[in-house]
Amino acid sequence: MNFVRFKIILGYLGFLPFAFFTILPMIFGEVLAIWSLQILSIYGGIILSFLAGMTWGWPKEESTNFNLLIGILFSLLGFLIILLAKNFLIYSMILNFFLFPLFYFFEKRKSPFFNNEDYEKLRLYLTSGVSGCFLFGFLNFF
């Protein structure tokens, strides 16, 4: 199995918790809604930090000071999302909803991985799906 195909499989597997914790409140009702959405937000913060941390592994040409600083900023925002999830869930959900597409647009302009058409499609689909999960969770609960 080639490396890009493996990334695609892992990417879609990583989407499953987003879908699961978005759908869970619809299955079990309000009993699990807050808990489920908090876990959804925390997972989102972790994934956003992980994606942003990948800027450190970009080739030398793309590893400019600006790109690294933007990566660090998104990682810190992911950490902020995690901190907010317990007591300020609505803000955590809103941040997740907006930051995933913002990071996608940054990465699309700067990342060498976007030279691969399969990876570009993967990131577009996953970013759209993840943002949709946050929007759907937000609209169903708040």
Side-chain angles (χ1 to χ4, degrees), residues 38-83:
Q38 284 175 333
I39 291 176
L40 176 68
S41 278
I42 290 168
Y43 184 66
I46 291 168
I47 295 301
L48 183 65
S49 293
F50 167 76
L51 289 171
M54 287 177 34
T55 60
W56 288 82
W58 289 355
K60 198 172 193 174
E61 303 80 44
E62 285 82 16
S63 290
T64 65
N65 289 343
F66 177 76
N67 290 350
L68 291 175
L69 287 174
I70 295 296
I72 291 169
L73 175 66
F74 274 99
S75 289
L76 291 174
L77 288 169
F79 182 62
L80 177 65
I81 286 168
I82 293 167
L83 293 176

Side-chain angles (χ1 to χ4, degrees), residues 4-45:
V4 173
R5 181 134 177 89
F6 188 62
K7 276 184 176 180
I8 290 170
I9 290 168
L10 290 177
Y12 285 118
L13 287 175
F15 176 75
L16 292 177
F18 286 106
F20 176 75
F21 288 112
T22 300
I23 294 169
L24 195 65
M26 289 177 266
I27 297 170
F28 293 103
E30 281 191 42
V31 175
L32 293 179
I34 296 261
W35 176 81
S36 180
L37 293 177
Q38 284 175 333
I39 291 176
L40 176 68
S41 278
I42 290 168
Y43 184 66

